[in-house]
Every structure is written in structure tokens, then in C-alpha cells.
Amino acid sequence: MPASRNLLAPPCVRIFLTLFILFLTVSYSYALCIPSIEESIEEPYHYLRAFIDSMSYAHEAKSRLDRKREGQESDPFVDLMYDLKLAKADFECAAALVSSYKTSTSEAIKLSAGAAEQSFTQLADLQSETVADLNHVLNAGEREIPKGTLIERRAQRAVSADNAWKLIPQAAIAATYSVVEEDKETKLMSRLALTKTQQDEILRRLRALSGDDVTNGIRAGQHSLVAAASVLYEVVGKQGRKTRDAK
């Protein structure tokens, strides 16, 4: 079939194809977010990698939800549903990456992972609530749900989302306690629980997540993901601690 005829496909066909692509994309996304069974839940290095990866998924979800659709010819409701469902999958992947670390014997790792999983799970659930409201409006119209009720629900979800995002910097602060250890000679908590190679990789991952903003510390108005990355970058890279393998 010529490409030009595909563009003339009926709306129902376009919707079916979009939902089919959505199914494949979500399935692929879940395949990527399975934690490695080889990584120790006791090692700060492994946890920091998982935590940063989880924040990357959350960042992708946020980008989907912030995306502007004006001026596009595709069905706006299909596009919105598409982004909501993919954002939900991203948040669920983020939660899955840190979930196993809740059983760590390291209290700092356990606390951090618990806060991070709670945040991402709540954000995923909020996407489900938005999808449910959108489905209801599309199927029944505003006669079934008054406009004022919809606005109130949307406002409440925004408040809930804001509270969920605020857990991420708290998770980052808890994580910093896992990455500092005692110097065997001085008996002071002055060493990183990372080798130099591991330190460099963590810093690289943080810069990849938040760019140069991560090197400038916490600032007013930052999104929680940037604030969390900044907290980790400060402790891992800017406080001058020796690494495990340093003499």
C-alpha cells in the first residue's frame, strides 16, 4: 500500500495502530527496567546506580507529561492517553529498580529505597487516576462528571504529585549516608564507599541526568530530580573525600 494512503486511514484505524504501538513500547520499557540479579543490595555503588537509573525513568516520565501537543494533526486524546500510559510505565520502572534494595541491611539504603519507591509508585498511580477520569469523560461526557469536580480532582492530583516528588531529595539525602564510610586509620567518617572508577561513573551518570545544573548545588526553584542529583553530586564529587582505593 502506498505511504500516502496510510495517511488517509480512518480515525479508528489510527487509534488502533497507536494503541498497538503503545502496547509494544510499554512491553519493551518493562524489559529494560528489570534490576540486575548480579548486583548486591548491600553495596552503595550498586544502589546509587539503581537510584540514578530510576530517576532517569522518572525524568522521562516527566518529559512526557510536560510535552506540548499544539499544532499537531494527530488525535489529541490519543496522544494524551499515550503519554499518560507511557509515563505510568516509566514511573513503575523507576519503582522496580529500587524496590529490592528495601531489604538491604544498610539502614541508609533501605530508607532511601523505600522513599524512592513510594514516590514513584504514587506518581504511577496518579497517572492511572488521570486516565480513568479521561476515559469517563470520553465515554459519558461531562454530564456524568461536573466540570467543577474534574477541576477539583485535577488540583488534588497536582498536590499529591508535588508531595510525591518531594520524597526524591529525601531519598537522595538518605543515600548519601550509605556512601560515606570510616577511614581505618583516622577512624573518622571521611572516605567514600566507592573506588575512584566507581566515583567517576556515578558523577558521569548524575551529569547525564541533570546536566551542568547538578554541579551547582541545591537552588530555589529546582525540580526535585535536579535537587536530588545535586545532593548526591555534592557528597560524591565535591567534598574531597578519598575513595576506597586511594592511599
Side-chain angles (χ1 to χ4, degrees), residues 45 49 192-205 207 236 242-246:
Y45 166 66
R49 281 185 50 178
L192 285 177
L194 302 170
T195 66
K196 176 60 177 169
T197 299
Q198 291 171 343
Q199 178 193 38
D200 290 343
E201 182 184 353
I202 294 300
L203 296 178
R204 178 185 60 78
R205 284 171 175 260
R207 288 192 297 269
V236 174
K242 291 182 178 181
T243 56
R244 274 182 175 174
D245 53 351

Side-chain angles (χ1 to χ4, degrees), residues 3-4 23 35 56 62 77 88 93 104 121 126 146 158 169 180 183 192 195 208 211 247:
S4 58
F23 170 77
S56 296
K62 180 180 181 299
F77 289 111
K88 178 178 182 291
C93 279
S104 174
T121 299
L126 290 171
V180 177
D183 187 300
L192 285 177
T195 66
K247 302 297 184 181

